């Protein structure tokens, strides 16, 4: 699945599947706050977190959510230091402000991460 231009015109209510680094850059440019789920095919934790990420997308009006398999575009792995899957990155104005790479996370943990991506600093 790839995005079309209309998918980035407003904050989508469900995660948008992205295919490439160019798609991701376009998505980041179109939205102020973005949560990206970096996943891999065959990853059971990734499959388990997918519906949770969908619920998060519906619960946050000011947050656009996308999913991408970095193996489809390997430069993403180095660019965002993806060392495990799933990895959730929170972006504000195109910049990474938070990273959650602790395996499966429930909705409450992801909500807390979105509200306080730097932890209790």
């Amino acid at each position: 699945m790839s995005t079309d231009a209309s998918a980035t015109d407003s904050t989508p209510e469900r995660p948008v599947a992205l295919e490439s680094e160019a798609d991701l850059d376009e998505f980041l440019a179109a939205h102020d706050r973005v949560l990206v789920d970096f996943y891999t095919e065959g990853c059971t934790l990734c499959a388990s977190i997918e519906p949770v990420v969908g619920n998060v997308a519906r619960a946050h009006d000011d947050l656009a959510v996308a999913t991408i398999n970095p193996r489809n575009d390997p430069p993403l792995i180095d660019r965002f230091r993806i060392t495990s899957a799933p990895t959730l990155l929170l972006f504000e104005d195109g910049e990474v402000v938070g990273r959650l790479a602790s395996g499966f996370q429930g909705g409450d943990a992801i909500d807390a991460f979105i509200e306080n991506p730097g932890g209790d600093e």
Side-chain angles (χ1 to χ4, degrees), residues 5-13 16 27 30-31 61 64:
S6 65
T8 57
D9 289 343
S10 63
T11 304
E13 291 184 5
V16 176
F27 194 78
H31 303 285
D61 293 336

Side-chain angles (χ1 to χ4, degrees), residues 21-106:
E21 185 173 20
D23 289 346
L24 177 58
D25 288 339
E26 183 179 323
F27 194 78
L28 291 173
H31 303 285
D32 294 335
R33 293 186 78 216
V34 176
L35 179 69
V36 180
D37 173 14
F38 290 85
Y39 73 94
T40 58
E41 294 294 326
C43 164
T44 57
L45 294 177
C46 299
S48 297
I49 206 170
E50 183 179 345
V52 177
V53 170
N55 289 337
V56 168
R58 286 184 287 283
H60 293 270
D61 293 336
D62 66 335
L63 181 72
V65 179
T67 62
I68 192 164
N69 183 343
R71 290 182 180 170
N72 291 342
D73 199 344
L76 289 168
I77 296 168
D78 288 333
R79 178 178 171 190
F80 295 110
R81 301 182 338 263
I82 305 301
T83 58
S84 63
T87 292
L88 302 178
L89 295 183
L90 182 65
F91 294 82
E92 290 185 5
D93 299 320
E95 299 295 321
V96 176
V97 296
R99 171 184 301 269
L100 187 60
S102 305
F104 177 82
Q105 299 292 314

Side-chain angles (χ1 to χ4, degrees), residues 106-118:
D108 290 343
I110 295 172
D111 287 339
F113 165 69
I114 291 166
E115 297 305 318
N116 190 12

